[in-house]
Amino acid sequence: MKFFGWFFCLALCAVLASGLQAEVVWHGYLMHHSAFKTAAPNNTLMLRNRLRLESEVGRESVFGKASADFTEDLDGSGAPRITLRELYLDIYGDWLDLRLGKQQVVWGKADGYFINDIVNALDLTWFLMQDFDDIRRATTMLNTKLHRGNHSLVFLAIPDFKPTIVGYSGDWGFDKPDSVTFLLGPVPLTIPIDYQDDQQPRGSLRSMEYGAKFNTFLFGTDLSLIYLKIHERKPVIHKSLHYEGMLPTGIGVALGHPWVRFFGFNFARPAGLFVIRGEGGYYPERWFDSNDASAMSQGMRVRKPFWQAMLAVDYQLTGNIDAGIQLIREQIGGYESGLVAEEVNSLYSLLVRARWRNDTILPYWLTLYNATSESYLSRFSVDWKSADNFTVTFGADFLGGEKESAYGQFNFGQFSGNDHVYLKVTYNF
Amino acid sequence: MKTYPILAGFVITLIGFSLLSAAEPTGRDIMVKVDEQHKVQTEIAKTRMILINKAGKTLEREVLRYQKTYNGKDGIDDKMLVFFEYPNDIRGTGLLLWTYVATDKDDDRWLYLPALKKNKRIAGKSKNDYFMGTDFTYDDMGGRKIDADRHTLLGEEVIEGERCYKVESVPLDTENMYSKKIAWVVPQKWVIKKVEFYDRQGKLLKLLTVENIQQVDGIWTPFVLHMRNLSTEHQTRIEIGSVQDNVPINDQVFTVASLERGRIQ
């Protein structure tokens, strides 16, 4: 598949460059990224060199872009690798834009949280250590935008499914228990788990995902309405009991990605020195793990409506310091006992950014606090732009709170041993 | 008989006053002339910004700017779309700006960050913000309306061999970062040659000098703007690389959809 990707890329460059006498532009960056745990400085979280190479070719209304990473982990945690990040063709018209190929689509107004921003799956192998641009997994799709004045209508057709990658081992591994306890009547029963392969949707017309977004500008407000029919990005667990006689002896865990429908909206509106923004999402049905024996016939899971909402205020404290507060609430509708996830999940975030010394020193502080699990992520960093195209970033991430969490819930506490400091040195070319 | 000299004196005085008023425009007249002289329907400009710190170390930015005047249509004064082309770490960053005729209506502004792949609405009230690390505020870049200040002609001075009107402009709003500006305007060309910016305490904060003024399609256009911040000792030199005035630009260029392309077609 990678071979065909590269072949397509080269063919695209060649055709565009020769046929359209187009200009080919190469750019990218070289980055070194080191991260060390604060509790155990000898324990390296990351020691990585990366070359990002991007090529853009095009003329007038046709452009192609390819982006690839050449990555080497210096701590020997993996072999050097090449990753094709994005590869797409843009065609621009007066009222219609097309983007075809492997791409990232970012919808929504939230900072550091994913409510409307769910078109692409995530790679959580390194949790949130990587930039969001690296966390999102680019997916092959057709992205069509009809636009007129301040209004636009976007259609997505996604034939290629990519699941969210959740690590189950290493420093950023999520819990993957090898046994489970549930109530069989009044008696708690613990039995081993037999994990089966992730059943991913096959590339066919029947499994093609699709979505639409309408954007408008009304009375000074940016407003978007969203509809998506996609497969669950994170695997949903289906459990089945294995018996010997009358006694359960094991539990089979199958991972799948059922269809979900999503309705969303977002808005942003300035008011003096403030910008008010919001985002909402509603799933009529989503699968949730259950420990209740009545859910056994459905694979120890139940379908419930689920909604998410975010309200934020950004404020300019001074000419070069901005602050933003976000309130996020998630809720499972028709909640019943036995559900593993909490009924309500509340999160708060505070983001402060400054631009000092003519934008050459850029401090950044983001704190995400999950009030339900009483866990937090606090992230500090300072970018120092000492010369054109050269940036040095010093930073630290602190995580804390309750260690235990339900599968699929965002709990920073489970990584509380991973407080770390990091250094990134980047040269852009 | 005695009435003739009185009448003659009255007539002479009247003629004198009218001649004087024709020769001596008001401060506002001068600033209107400056605005009208450079009033173009559209402009496409490639600009290089050189940021010079106290130690003389330089950083550069290159931007491509599209601008269109709407002359009050739907209340809009003008629209501007700017894309950064250099340095590479901010390449593709875009800014869309709509300014309105009504002085009490804030700008609408959107910022597109290619690293985040999304546009962000930013507050339009903060006109005192410095533009992308330069020593120019959004207001300094040309977004300020004439009647937002009270203009007074202070007299005439010769700057680099050219006779200039010296005009003081005092902001009517108390939130402005300047207490006053003094501009030197070259008559006939109606271009500004130099501006002094005074802070709220009345101390000289910044000094703008304009160099290399050339005629482009009959319009006197400054090709170098040099701003010195006397407080931080930081400087910004803006060099206009190329300018195209009054070329047709589709309205669709000045939309969020266009901003999200990350480039101008």
Side-chain angles (χ1 to χ4, degrees), chain A residues 56 97 110 222 316 385 389, chain B residues 88-89 110 118 126 129 263:
Chain A
E56 287 183 67
D97 289 357
D222 290 349
Q316 194 164 34
K385 292 176 181 284
N389 295 318
Chain B
N88 293 315
D89 57 343
W110 295 264
K118 65 178 178 182
S126 47
D129 279 7
R263 60 167 72 91

